[in-house]
Amino acid sequence: MTFKTSITAFILLIISGIMSVSAQNEPTLDLDSIDISLLTCSPHEEIYSLYGHSALRYHDLRTGEDVVFNWGLFNFKAPHFVARFVFGLTDYELGTTPLPYFCNYYRKWGSSVTEQKLNLTPEEKKAVIQALNKHLMPENRVYRYNFFYDNCSTRPRDIILKNISGKIEYQLREDFFPTYREMVHECVRNHPWAKFGNDILLGIKADQPTTHEQQEFLPQHLMYDFDHAQIYKNGEYRPLVSGRDMLVPPGVQIIEEDFPLSPIVTFLILLVISVCVLIQEWRRHKTYKYWDALLMLLQGLAGCVLFAMLFSEHPTTSTNLQILLLNPLPLFFIPAILKRKQHTWWWTILLTMIVLFFIGGFFQVYAEGMYILALCLLIRFWSHYKNA
C-alpha cells in the first residue's frame, strides 16, 4: 500500500514543498474550478503493493495545478526498518507529487489508477484544502503507520469525511462481514508464502468480523463504498462521487515465481521425513536425538518471532494461539535431549502444548501446514513414549 521509496521518496518530499497548495493563497482560490478526487491504484506484484493504494488529487482547472497527496511514502533504508515494521513502529509520510509522475509510476507496473471526483460544495473544498495544508506541515506530515487502522487508505478517507457538511450514508453490503484475515487472504491469494507469513503473525483478533468502516483499510473497499455513498443534509441527498474516470488503464504485469514449493507441500515433506525417521527408529530400536534437536531448534527459532510479536503495537498480533506450538521453550531443552537425559520434562510439555494447540484451532485460523507440523511433533512424542 506504498509508493516507491528511498531516493524517489526523498525527491517527492522536496517537490511537496513546492507543489503544496499554499494556505496563504486560499482566499484567492476559485473553488468552482477546483476538483478534489480520490485515486485508487490497483495492486501490482511487488510485495508492498499487493493491497493497492489510495491518494487524493487536487486539480485546479484554472491554473493547471495538478498534484497528488500521497500518504504512502517511507524510507526502506531507514535504520532498523524491518524490526520497526514488525513491532508496529514504522513511520510513514505525506508528500505531494505531480499527477503525471504518479500515474507513470503505476503505469510502469501495470496497475490501473481510478479517479473518483468528489461531489463537494465550495465550502467543503475549502475545508479539505485547509486540512491538506495542515497535514502537509513538517510537524504533521509524519504519522505512525498501522496496516489495519491507520494507512494510506484510511488517511484520505478521514480527511474527506471530517470536512463534509452532512452525514455520510453508505449502501450496506448484506451478509458481508469478513475478518481481517479473510480480506488479507483475498489480496495474497496468488502468493502462498506471503499468505503463510501473514497467517503466522496474525492472531485471534484478526478472525473477528469487521465493521463497514474497518473494511476500508483496503483501497478497493474504500473505492466501492465511495461509489455507493450519499451525503445527507437538511432532508436532501447528494452522491459523494460525481464522476469516475480511469486515469491509467490496467496494463501487463510481470508475475515472478514464488518459492517452487508451497507451504503445504513443504510441511508434507517434513511429515514424510518424520514418518521415515520413526520407521527407522522402530527397526533399530533407538531414537535419533539429532532429528529431535533439529525440530526443536526450528520450532524454537520460529517461536522467538511469535514471542516478539506479543510486544508489537500491531493490535492483531498480540494474542496468537500459534505460540502454543511455536515458542522459545524448546531451545532450553535441546541440551538435555542431546545428552539423552532420562525423565526429561520436555515430552510432557510438548504433548500439553500440542493438545492446547488443537483446542485453540476452534478459536483461531492457523497458518497453512501448522496442523501438519503439530502431527510431526506428535510423532516425536510417540517415538519417545514407546521407547521410554
Side-chain angles (χ1 to χ4, degrees), residues 42-283:
S42 65
H44 59 73
E45 289 302 302
E46 288 295 302
I47 190 68
Y48 60 82
S49 185
L50 294 176
Y51 309 95
H53 186 55
S54 295
L56 287 180
R57 178 189 183 186
Y58 169 92
H59 187 197
D60 192 326
L61 302 174
R62 181 174 59 86
T63 65
E65 187 175 7
D66 199 353
V67 294
V68 176
F69 288 77
N70 176 20
W71 280 266
L73 302 180
F74 68 91
N75 183 4
F76 188 76
K77 295 183 179 180
H80 312 296
F81 177 84
V82 175
R84 290 179 63 84
F85 186 86
V86 168
F87 287 102
L89 301 175
T90 311
D91 289 331
Y92 277 45
E93 298 186 34
L94 167 65
T96 61
T97 185
L99 179 73
Y101 288 99
F102 184 87
C103 291
N104 286 338
Y105 171 79
Y106 285 97
R107 184 178 292 108
K108 180 185 69 173
W109 286 102
S111 296
S112 64
V113 178
T114 303
E115 176 187 33
Q116 293 168 293
K117 293 182 180 179
L118 302 177
N119 187 22
L120 306 179
T121 65
E123 292 76 17
E124 292 169 340
K125 292 179 183 178
K126 183 177 181 180
V128 169
I129 293 170
Q130 290 174 337
L132 290 173
N133 279 310
K134 182 177 180 180
H135 278 253
L136 202 57
M137 291 179 179
E139 63 270 25
N140 298 327
R141 71 193 327 161
V142 177
Y143 71 101
R144 181 56 50 85
Y145 175 86
N146 185 291
F147 180 68
F148 288 132
Y149 300 120
D150 195 356
N151 63 18
C152 69
S153 181
T154 63
R155 285 262 160 169
R157 176 202 65 188
D158 292 345
I159 286 283
I160 298 302
L161 298 189
K162 290 179 181 179
N163 292 283
I164 284 180
S165 178
K167 180 182 177 182
I168 295 291
E169 294 187 4
Y170 294 110
Q171 176 181 320
L172 295 180
R173 287 171 274 175
E174 295 182 1
D175 301 325
F176 187 68
F177 299 99
T179 65
Y180 281 122
R181 193 186 304 273
E182 289 170 341
M183 289 185 283
V184 169
H185 281 180
E186 180 63 23
C187 294
V188 298
R189 59 188 180 279
N190 297 323
H191 299 270
W193 282 103
K195 176 184 175 183
F196 175 81
N198 288 328
D199 282 342
I200 280 289
L201 297 180
L202 292 176
I204 194 171
K205 293 181 181 179
D207 294 313
Q208 307 303 313
T210 55
T211 65
H212 191 276
E213 180 182 8
Q214 289 173 328
Q215 295 162 23
E216 293 175 345
F217 85 97
L218 286 178
Q220 295 295 324
H221 287 175
L222 181 62
M223 179 174 67
Y224 176 91
D225 287 345
F226 270 32
D227 269 340
H228 298 84
Q230 299 278 333
I231 303 174
Y232 176 79
K233 184 180 180 181
N234 298 330
E236 296 182 352
Y237 287 91
R238 57 185 163 102
L240 176 59
V241 174
S242 61
R244 180 170 172 168
D245 294 311
M246 182 72 72
L247 301 182
V248 178
V252 177
Q253 296 194 12
I254 299 176
I255 301 178
E256 298 181 0
E257 291 289 336
D258 279 350
F259 185 71
L261 299 178
S262 68
I264 192 69
V265 171
T266 301
F267 281 105
L268 285 173
I269 292 174
L270 180 64
L271 178 61
V272 170
I273 295 175
S274 297
V275 172
C276 291
V277 170
L278 180 66
I279 293 173
Q280 288 298 314
E281 289 177 331
W282 177 75
R283 289 177 176 176

Side-chain angles (χ1 to χ4, degrees), residues 286-315:
K286 61 181 295 188
T287 56
Y288 291 169
K289 63 180 181 180
Y290 292 110
W291 177 244
D292 287 325
L294 177 60
L295 287 180
M296 293 170 69
L297 178 64
L298 297 176
Q299 184 184 3
L301 292 177
C304 288
V305 177
L306 264 65
F307 180 76
M309 293 303 295
L310 296 179
F311 306 96
S312 172
E313 290 190 10
H314 292 297

Side-chain angles (χ1 to χ4, degrees), residues 357-386:
F357 171 81
F358 279 107
I359 294 175
F362 290 99
F363 305 97
Q364 177 181 325
V365 176
Y366 293 150
E368 187 178 58
M370 287 295 292
Y371 286 110
I372 299 177
L373 175 60
L375 181 58
C376 293
L377 296 175
L378 194 59
I379 288 174
R380 299 315 303 153
F381 168 81
W382 176 256
S383 173
H384 284 266
Y385 173 78
K386 293 291 291 183

